[in-house]
Amino acid sequence: MSFATGTSAAVLAELLASAERAVVLTGAGISVPSGIPDFRTPGKGLWEKVDPMKVAHIDAFRRSPDEFWTFYGQRFAMLSEIGPNPAHDAVAELERRGLVRGVITQNIDRLHRAAGSQTVIEVHGSIEWCVCEMCGGKVGFDDVRAILTSGTPTPECATCISPLKPNVVLFGEMLPEDAMADATALAAEADLMLCIGSSLEVYPVAGLPGLTLDKGGRIALITQGPTPYDRECEVKLAGDVVEELDAVLAALP
Ligand code: ZN
């Protein structure tokens, strides 16, 4: 695939306009313009001095909730200050125009919903809620933030005095079955999957574009850096995610 940027955007716009069951799949790259570093990029922000595979691991949460929350509380603080960027807005706009059925996201940052996307499948969970593993109770993000800023090291369930766990998929945990079932159905039915800001390396989500291809659908990529689907995609836009999506929207009929 080697088109000039404008040409590729026009190709993608045409694919979106002619698709009937298109779906978007997003990864960390779409949130980078909001100021959230991709932890796979070494030496950035929160992840500079820690190994995410260790501190954001389910074993770390079980072993020492206080230590886990020392780190995760910083993450909550950072995420409380950021908002959606024009790439999230563009994805919401595609859904409003009826060009995509929804968005499957690997991100836990709530930014697709904040931008106005209605059908959002969060396959790695979301920071929207923290959950009590004893009683299943849920506490919202703002309430957890209030507990943390009051100086409590670990937010606890008011009923069980059990440590709350962010409702996100930590390392070492399975993906939520319901969300993966929804994502799998959308991918299998899709005649076009537009993958944005994901290196498509982390399974099982990385297998979703392959499922679309197996069922006769097509895939398009907007992402910097290589993916396992670079050869099989109809078109790849490898520039800045905001600029590329702007160009695609501008090229829509
Ligand atoms: Zn509880």
Side-chain angles (χ1 to χ4, degrees), residues 132 135 157 160:
C132 170
C135 72
C157 173
C160 314

Side-chain angles (χ1 to χ4, degrees), residues 120-177:
V120 183
I121 299 170
E122 293 158 316
V123 288
H124 289 175
S126 160
I127 56 165
E128 183 72 31
W129 299 102
C130 285
V131 290
C132 170
E133 295 184 302
M134 302 283 283
C135 72
K138 289 165 132 189
V139 183
F141 179 83
D142 292 339
D143 291 331
V144 173
R145 277 280 293 146
I147 296 170
L148 289 168
T149 50
S150 76
T152 307
T154 296
E156 293 173 335
C157 173
T159 313
C160 314
I161 323 295
S162 170
L164 293 173
K165 186 182 113 35
N167 195 27
V168 306
V169 178
L170 300 176
F171 290 101
E173 285 194 300
M174 302 289 284
L175 271 54
E177 280 180 28

